[in-house]
Amino acid sequence: MQLQLIIFISMVGIFIAGCFLLKLPVSVSMVAAAVTGALVSGNGIPIRHLVEGTFGYLDTILVIATAMIFMKVIQESGALDALSSIIIQKFHRKPALLLILLMLIVMFPGMITGSSSASVLTAGGLVAPIFIMMGIPAVDAAAIIALGGLLGMIAPPVNVPAMIIGGGIDMPYVGFEIPLILLTVPLAILFVLMLGLKHVKNFNYEDLKSKLDTTDIEKYGFKIYIPIIVVLLLMILGKVIPDIISFGMPVTFLIGSFIGLFTGRKMNFIKISKEAINTALPVLGILMGVGMFIQIMTLTGVRGFIVVNSLSLPPALLYLGIAVTIPLFGAVSSFGASSVLGVPFLLALLDKNQIITAAGLSLIASLGDLMPPTALAGIFAAQVVGVDNYFLVLKKCIIPSLIIIAYGLLIILFSNQLASFIF
Amino acid sequence: MIITLIYRLIVAFVLFLTLWNLFTEKTLNKQMNAALVIIPLILRVLMIK
């Protein structure tokens, strides 16, 4: 057996033991796995490499941290409540359309932050009671929210897995918008209708009406939406006129947060920011762990071992490998799967359109956020609706997950044909 | 120069919030997560790395 394979097995073994036997946080299990990998390879405990690994995700944690602050501000200001209320008021006569719009609200924070947890914990928490009031069972509601979080994470403008995969082959994150919309929006519509429509066909709006909180929109009017509009505008302008306006995501979110302090309910910004970081800490910690894990994989040659083996797979096995290994490696994290497996698979598919292929791979990698033990989106979604057993939610997500894999592979297979239409 | 300053201020702000969480958080898991997150933030604020 090759040394790299032994190192990899020992790392994965320690990770699983840390998560399941010792019940350690996923981030700490990853650090333990990284240290084990270094020790088995004879590198001792390479502090420099462990610290170096954390820097791989420094910009990502800044984006997530500031985005969480922004989401918390617009949640506290009443903007998210107002948005949900107005959508329900306008579209309650068309339950299918209402479900689709609520799904888009669930996806929205993930689209902005690139984190499924952000979607689930903010908009998911807000929309969950509405789903349940509409008659959707709690487990189905959790599954919709988890899938919404996943698809929000992959939808443009921010898709961290695609950034990671592209970064691995020095491909800039440019031109991903249309492929990512094509990948996520049809699935979002399909899943929310598949899981929710049968339950809401006969829902009574009058029952729901009394529970809707419309006080903020009545009190503050249109200005309550200004922070969301400003952030969207700055993001669009950053793409259209990057020479004049290119603040970067963290500054954009902080500007939006600052404006949000004056457009709705009053709040203590520092306290809200602290709560936002507290909510984001598990995700930020996992990113630090993933960084160390991957750095040690690189140091010990395990990453190269995986790349070489992926490149030498015959085409049929290559697609099977993508369908099986990427979601499974997602147990570590979807970002880790993107980095460790997404990059070699993209290299193995060089004859395909690279932007669409990377987008397709990122969609499949997103399933990592449903995969235990990490299962960030799934576990948080179960918590949000009050379901204790996450595996009930996971069971509901199996068919949608298979559809995600099949759709992702289909998009990759026909990426060249699609590219001729898109670009 | 100004961009670097703004960047450092943002990192410092996130570092402050993470440290605050580290010392006020009751659960050990979240404290461990916070401890991991502050490593690169401190080094970047001080421009050591």
Side-chain angles (χ1 to χ4, degrees):
Chain A
M1 196 185 274
Q2 275 187 278
L3 176 64
Q4 281 77 18
L5 186 58
I6 296 169
I7 297 167
F8 185 54
I9 291 170
S10 60
M11 287 174 80
V12 173
I14 290 294
F15 171 69
I16 291 170
C19 287
F20 289 110
L21 296 179
L22 302 174
K23 306 281 181 203
L24 291 170
V26 176
S27 54
V28 178
S29 301
M30 275 181 191
V31 177
V35 172
T36 306
L39 286 173
V40 172
S41 66
N43 282 292
I45 300 177
I47 299 291
R48 185 185 79 77
H49 281 283
L50 293 173
V51 174
E52 182 86 37
T54 63
F55 275 86
Y57 293 105
L58 182 61
D59 290 339
T60 313
I61 66 169
L62 286 181
V63 172
I64 294 176
T66 49
M68 281 301 292
I69 293 171
F70 172 69
M71 285 312 304
K72 204 82 180 168
V73 167
I74 62 167
Q75 197 180 355
E76 291 293 320
S77 74
L80 272 184
D81 280 330
L83 197 61
S84 301
S85 305
I86 206 109
I87 285 176
I88 293 168
Q89 278 175 359
K90 299 264 183 221
F91 298 102
H92 66 90
R93 284 192 190 84
K94 294 171 183 159
L97 187 59
L98 178 59
L99 279 178
I100 292 167
L101 291 171
L102 288 174
M103 184 66 155
L104 289 178
I105 289 185
V106 174
M107 288 168 68
F108 176 69
M111 291 159 76
I112 289 180
T113 61
S115 157
S116 60
S117 310
S119 261
V120 173
L121 291 170
T122 53
L126 193 83
V127 172
I130 298 171
F131 279 150
I132 291 171
M133 279 190 268
M134 287 169 76
I136 300 174
V139 174
D140 293 66
I144 294 172
I145 291 167
L147 291 164
L150 245 62
L151 295 171
M153 175 173 88
I154 298 308
V158 178
N159 175 335
V160 179
M163 288 178 188
I164 293 171
I165 295 170
I169 61 160
D170 288 335
M171 178 171 69
Y173 183 69
V174 176
F176 277 83
E177 287 83 0
I178 296 172
L180 290 176
I181 288 172
L182 279 178
L183 276 166
T184 51
V185 175
L187 289 181
I189 295 171
L190 174 70
F191 293 156
V192 75
L193 295 182
M194 198 170 100
L195 292 165
L197 192 59
K198 59 178 179 270
H199 302 291
V200 301
K201 274 189 176 153
N202 301 315
F203 100 94
N204 187 351
Y205 173 64
E206 293 308 316
D207 290 346
L208 189 62
K209 197 177 170 184
S210 58
K211 291 167 189 164
L212 288 179
D213 184 4
T214 53
T215 47
D216 293 318
I217 187 72
E218 283 160 10
K219 189 174 176 188
Y220 301 107
F222 179 75
K223 76 171 185 180
I224 204 164
Y225 300 119
I226 290 176
I228 300 174
I229 295 167
V230 167
V231 165
L232 290 176
L233 207 64
L234 286 175
M235 282 177 179
I236 294 165
L237 290 176
K239 300 273 179 202
V240 179
I241 40 171
D243 295 336
I244 303 167
I245 295 177
S246 58
F247 291 132
M249 300 292 276
V251 175
T252 301
F253 287 130
L254 288 180
I255 291 172
S257 306
F258 183 71
I259 294 170
L261 298 177
F262 307 103
T263 55
R265 291 196 294 252
K266 295 282 169 275
M267 69 191 93
N268 181 337
F269 179 65
I270 299 292
K271 203 172 150 222
I272 291 290
S273 302
K274 188 214 169 201
E275 283 170 20
I277 297 296
N278 190 288
T279 312
L281 268 181
V283 184
L284 304 182
I286 286 172
L287 283 174
M288 298 297 93
V290 171
M292 290 185 189
F293 192 91
I294 288 164
Q295 180 75 15
I296 297 300
M297 281 181 80
T298 311
L299 171 73
T300 56
V302 172
R303 193 171 177 179
F305 171 78
I306 293 173
V307 171
V308 170
N309 281 289
S310 305
L311 290 174
S312 56
L313 281 172
L317 278 181
L318 184 69
Y319 288 104
L320 187 67
I322 292 170
V324 176
T325 57
I326 293 185
L328 279 182
F329 197 91
V332 173
S333 99
S334 56
F335 296 163
S338 307
S339 177
V340 175
L341 297 171
V343 177
F345 281 130
L346 185 62
L347 285 169
L349 292 163
L350 276 177
D351 57 328
K352 304 284 180 196
N353 180 283
Q354 292 292 279
I355 292 175
I356 298 176
T357 305
L361 289 171
S362 74
L363 177 71
I364 297 171
S366 72
L367 288 173
D369 279 5
L370 287 178
M371 190 64 67
T374 330
L376 287 173
I379 289 172
F380 286 146
Q383 278 174 12
V384 158
V385 298
V387 173
D388 293 331
N389 185 358
Y390 162 62
F391 286 92
L392 294 173
V393 181
L394 183 64
K395 210 170 138 189
K396 284 276 174 197
C397 292
I398 287 175
I399 292 174
S401 300
L402 294 175
I403 295 173
I404 286 178
I405 292 172
Y407 189 54
L409 288 178
L410 209 64
I411 292 281
I412 293 170
L413 268 170
F414 294 102
S415 59
N416 289 338
Q417 289 83 345
L418 272 172
S420 59
F421 288 108
I422 297 172
F423 303 112
Chain B
M1 184 65 191
I2 292 170
I3 289 174
T4 310
L5 188 68
I6 293 169
Y7 176 70
R8 283 179 76 181
L9 282 173
I10 293 173
V11 178
F13 181 54
V14 176
L15 173 64
F16 160 71
L17 295 169
T18 313
L19 278 169
W20 191 6
N21 273 298
L22 176 69
F23 290 111
T24 54
E25 182 55 52
K26 297 281 187 292
T27 58
L28 183 64
N29 284 1
K30 278 200 173 171
Q31 285 178 335
M32 288 195 276
N33 280 326
L36 272 175
V37 175
I38 62 171
I39 298 168
L41 293 174
I42 285 180
L43 291 172
R44 186 51 56 91
V45 165
L46 299 174
M47 287 293 191
I48 293 171
K49 184 157 169 53

